């Protein structure tokens, strides 16, 4: 059986150093917002090329803290519209709704699965205030076009970078997390940079926003028992920060391995029943997942099961067809719906063996 993703194998690489960091953590007696969180915030900001990084509880909180901060700072008002790709993971949309903003669903570009800039323009109204760009599946959204549209219409741009740690735009010379006004990261265990539990971060170059989120995420307080605003508790856990500090060193190397596997899949899989994803061979795609499309998905999945090849579907139900998003049910989003009906993600991780990769290539060619 080839697993879709072997999280144990990914983290087993660090067993000794994790155990030693845990012992240091245990002995320190300092379990919340200690030196590991500080170090991670500094390291991750530098890694992204952003001025600020604030560690938070998870990726959804990172997005919500950005929106809440903009509302509190007077840059957004409740009810303002946020343009969001219709085919994103539902968390992007929940962050908008949970902060009292209104999502406006926009169809993707079929080649990249990312939001289609020409569709964005058609959905801009007088109430549009933000574009939430999602770097879906690990590939950067077209930030040059998105930022240009935002500039014309005086909009904020926020990145949902939960799937794209380390993705680099060659044309901009910048990484995910530094391509907009503010970015949200998740370090959920399956992400390219994954903790051993929940974790997230906000990156930004906006001093006012950074300082305000620093308050918000910790009870509205920067000085113990002095509360300046109505905050929440969404802190990056000290122990998760310790693990992330270790793993950040290997992120670029892991992403290169992912790109190498993607290239092998793209070169090796020649079956015309399988539609392969677009990849321009640049560093702008870090292959959080490798998503193919097939017309008869049920039949294909039966075949994968028979061949003992793991898979997942990102995602089986379009957000506007989820029960949770009933008010959006009647939206006409044919491309998004077609994508949700035909996508399958095949194994992709930095710890796959050459044997596993070749077994998958051969099996898919024989389908
Ligand atoms: C994982 C993910 C999130 C949410 O991250 P959590 O840490 O699970 O809250 C948000 N957006 C996208 C695109 C994601 O993939």
């Amino acid at each position: 059986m080839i697993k879709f993703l072997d999280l144990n194998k990914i983290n087993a690489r660090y067993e000794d150093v994790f155990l030693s960091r845990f012992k240091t953590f245990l002995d320190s007696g300092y379990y919340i917002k200690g030196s590991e969180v500080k170090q991670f915030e500094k390291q991750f900001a530098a890694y992204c090329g952003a001025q600020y990084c604030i560690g938070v509880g998870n990726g959804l909180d990172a997005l919500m803290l950005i929106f809440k901060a903009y509302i509190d700072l007077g840059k957004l008002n409740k009810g303002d519209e946020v343009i969001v790709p219709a085919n994103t993971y539902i968390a992007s949309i929940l962050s908008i709704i949970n902060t009292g903003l209104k999502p406006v669903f926009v169809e993707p570009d079929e080649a990249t699965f990312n939001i289609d800039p020409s569709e964005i323009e058609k959905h801009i109204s007088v109430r549009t205030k933000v574009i939430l760009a999602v770097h879906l599946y690990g590939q950067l959204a077209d930030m040059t076009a998105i930022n240009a549209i935002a500039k014309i219409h005086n909009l904020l741009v926020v990145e949902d970078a939960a799937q794209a740690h380390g993705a680099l735009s060659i044309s901009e010379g910048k990484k995910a997390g530094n391509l907009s006004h503010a970015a949200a990261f998740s370090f959920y265990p399956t992400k390219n940079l994954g903790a051993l539990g929940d974790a997230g971060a906000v990156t930004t170059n906006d001093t006012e926003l950074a300082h305000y989120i620093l308050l918000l995420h910790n009870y509205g307080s920067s000085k113990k028992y002095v509360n300046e605003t109505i905050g929440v508790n969404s802190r990056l856990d000290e122990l998760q920060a310790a693990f992330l500090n270790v793993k950040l060193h290997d992120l670029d190397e892991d992403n290169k391995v992912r790109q190498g596997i993607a290239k092998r899949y793209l070169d090796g899989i020649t079956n015309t029943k399988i539609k392969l994803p677009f990849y321009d061979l640049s560093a702008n795609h870090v292959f959080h997942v490798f998503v193919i499309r097939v017309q008869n998905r049920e039949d294909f999945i039966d075949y994968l099961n028979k061949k003992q090849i793991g898979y997942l579907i990102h995602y089986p139900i379009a957000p506007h067809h989820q029960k949770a998003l009933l008010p959006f049910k009647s939206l006409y989003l044919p491309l998004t719906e077609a994508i949700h009906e035909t996508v399958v993600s095949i194994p992709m991780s930095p710890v796959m063996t050459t044997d596993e990769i070749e077994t998958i290539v051969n099996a898919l060619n024989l389908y």
Side-chain angles (χ1 to χ4, degrees):
M1 177 73 200
I2 301 174
K3 284 189 184 173
F4 173 72
L5 179 64
D6 192 340
L7 277 182
N8 175 246
K9 193 172 172 188
I10 286 177
N11 290 299
R13 300 180 290 173
Y14 305 103
E15 182 168 343
D16 292 345
V17 56
F18 279 177
L19 290 172
S20 118
R21 291 279 177 123
F22 174 76
K23 179 80 169 98
T24 309
F25 161 82
L26 178 67
D27 293 348
S28 77
Y30 216 98
Y31 304 138
I32 300 280
K33 272 174 98 59
S35 59
E36 294 282 5
V37 168
K38 273 201 200 78
Q39 188 194 331
F40 180 73
E41 289 176 335
K42 202 171 156 207
Q43 281 205 107
F44 196 66
Y47 176 83
C48 296
Q51 218 172 327
Y52 303 99
C53 167
I54 303 113
V56 301
N58 55 68
L60 176 61
D61 280 0
L63 285 165
M64 286 174 54
L65 285 161
I66 292 169
F67 290 133
K68 182 165 166 39
Y70 277 136
I71 291 169
D72 289 2
L73 293 170
K75 300 251 176 92
L76 291 178
N77 289 302
K78 299 226 164 181
D80 283 348
E81 291 177 2
V82 181
I83 299 229
V84 62
N87 61 318
T88 183
Y89 179 55
I90 197 165
S92 322
I93 296 159
L94 296 180
S95 73
I96 300 167
I97 296 173
N98 278 326
T99 47
L101 302 167
K102 191 170 168 265
V104 174
F105 296 67
V106 169
E107 291 263 66
D109 175 321
E110 198 163 10
T112 62
F113 299 111
N114 274 325
I115 196 163
D116 182 343
S118 64
E119 287 293 312
I120 293 177
E121 302 236 58
K122 294 180 199 159
H123 289 82
I124 291 176
S125 79
V126 288
R127 304 187 65 186
T128 306
K129 292 287 150 55
V130 188
I131 302 171
L132 177 55
V134 182
H135 306 312
L136 199 67
Y137 304 152
Q139 184 167 39
L140 292 179
D142 185 349
M143 297 308 292
T144 310
I146 290 169
N147 284 321
I149 294 167
K151 204 162 175 196
I152 293 167
H153 298 274
N154 198 21
L155 309 176
L156 291 166
V157 180
V158 175
E159 286 163 89
D160 181 340
Q163 303 188 355
H165 320 70
L168 172 72
S169 163
I170 301 295
S171 56
E172 302 281 327
K174 290 177 184 174
K175 280 191 193 142
N178 188 27
L179 289 161
S180 65
H181 294 108
F185 285 91
S186 164
F187 308 112
Y188 184 81
T190 61
K191 310 289 188 187
N192 290 35
L193 179 60
L196 304 189
D198 278 309
V202 172
T203 58
T204 183
N205 294 312
D206 180 335
T207 304
E208 187 189 29
L209 184 78
H211 286 169
Y212 194 75
I213 290 176
L214 207 56
L215 292 179
L216 267 190
H217 91 300
N218 187 34
Y219 298 120
S221 163
S222 61
K223 194 169 163 207
K224 208 173 175 76
Y225 305 133
V226 179
N227 300 83
E228 295 177 45
T229 189
I230 306 289
V232 298
N233 175 359
S234 182
R235 297 177 293 231
L236 172 57
D237 183 77
E238 178 72 4
L239 186 56
Q240 298 308 329
F243 298 144
L244 290 169
N245 278 324
V246 172
K247 291 180 80 174
L248 181 57
H249 284 289
D250 292 338
L251 176 57
D252 283 342
E253 196 51 46
D254 279 1
N255 282 343
K256 280 205 188 87
V257 174
R258 288 174 184 270
Q259 287 157 350
I261 296 168
K263 190 158 183 323
R264 178 64 199 129
Y265 281 159
L266 289 164
D267 290 343
I269 301 168
T270 52
N271 188 335
T272 52
K273 286 193 224 113
I274 293 167
K275 188 166 178 341
L276 296 165
F278 171 80
Y279 177 36
D280 66 6
L281 301 183
S282 83
N284 83 338
H285 199 331
V286 291
F287 286 95
H288 171 57
V289 283
F290 190 92
V291 178
I292 62 175
R293 291 178 70 183
V294 288
Q295 275 318 312
N296 190 342
R297 184 164 67 191
E298 240 169 85
D299 183 66
F300 181 69
I301 283 170
D302 278 349
Y303 179 77
L304 290 180
N305 284 332
K306 248 183 249 129
K307 293 285 177 179
Q308 305 234 299
I309 295 170
Y311 68 90
L312 274 181
I313 294 171
H314 298 93
Y315 300 89
I317 304 173
H320 68 289
H321 283 169
Q322 295 282 2
K323 187 178 169 201
L325 300 185
L326 209 61
F328 305 95
K329 190 183 168 180
S330 56
L331 288 176
Y332 179 68
L333 297 162
L335 208 50
T336 295
E337 287 164 27
I339 286 170
H340 281 79
E341 279 157 23
T342 52
V343 288
V344 180
S345 305
I346 59 173
M348 167 59 74
S349 93
V351 294
M352 290 177 76
T353 65
T354 308
D355 261 8
E356 288 174 331
I357 297 161
E358 294 310 313
T359 302
I360 292 166
V361 169
N362 290 332
L364 264 58
N365 283 335
L366 291 172
Y367 168 64

